[in-house]
Amino acid sequence: QVTVVESGGGSVQAGDSLRLSCAASGRTLYTMGWFRQAPGKEREFVAGIDLITGDTSIGESVKGRFAISRDNERYRISMQMNSLKPEDTAVYYCMARDFFARIGTTVQDYNYWGQGTQVTVSS
């Protein structure tokens, strides 16, 4: 059984920063990262990191503002979110997968998910 737990969400003002964390356990994992979902919208790829190569991928809508990194623990990652905008408001879901492949940008590319953490950005 794979467990994925994210934390760090909260309510902030536009221009503020947040750092999300995610820890996974239970199986060898090759990719971890984040999607987000706002009400009435599709779940959107935000960022991913290849745990083998260290390569990262950042979604176009957050490129230049968000960054993903691997922490000292093997299956623990962080995402630094700077210059937050109201349109960043969403539930952020940590994801992981137990197979190796190029970082994908669709929900179907991943097989383990956390319960989500709410990020709310006010004007």
Side-chain angles (χ1 to χ4, degrees):
Q1 179 65 46
V2 173
T3 299
V4 181
V5 180
E6 62 269 82
S7 62
S11 182
V12 300
Q13 295 181 346
D16 285 353
S17 297
L18 282 173
R19 185 175 67 246
L20 304 184
S21 296
C22 178
S25 62
R27 190 183 296 267
T28 298
L29 302 171
Y30 297 90
T31 306
M32 293 181 67
W34 300 88
F35 281 67
R36 68 185 183 185
Q37 189 165 23
K41 296 185 178 180
E42 299 289 330
R43 191 167 293 194
E44 175 191 23
F45 175 79
V46 179
I49 182 166
D50 186 315
L51 300 178
I52 303 301
T53 67
D55 291 344
T56 61
S57 181
I58 307 296
E60 289 295 326
S61 63
V62 300
K63 192 170 294 182
R65 299 187 296 119
F66 292 9
I68 188 170
S69 61
R70 181 177 174 177
D71 294 351
N72 290 333
E73 297 181 14
R74 182 167 183 174
Y75 301 124
R76 190 176 185 93
I77 61 168
S78 296
M79 183 168 68
Q80 182 67 37
M81 307 161 65
N82 296 328
S83 301
L84 285 162
K85 304 175 181 180
E87 49 263 46
D88 295 319
T89 296
V91 177
Y92 284 71
Y93 296 92
C94 183
M95 54 77 172
R97 67 183 176 194
D98 58 6
F99 59 93
F100 181 79
R102 183 173 64 91
I103 297 173
T105 59
T106 69
V107 170
Q108 292 74 26
D109 290 324
Y110 304 95
N111 53 351
Y112 302 107
W113 297 88
Q115 294 300 303
T117 184
Q118 177 72 46
V119 172
T120 302
V121 184
S122 301
S123 300

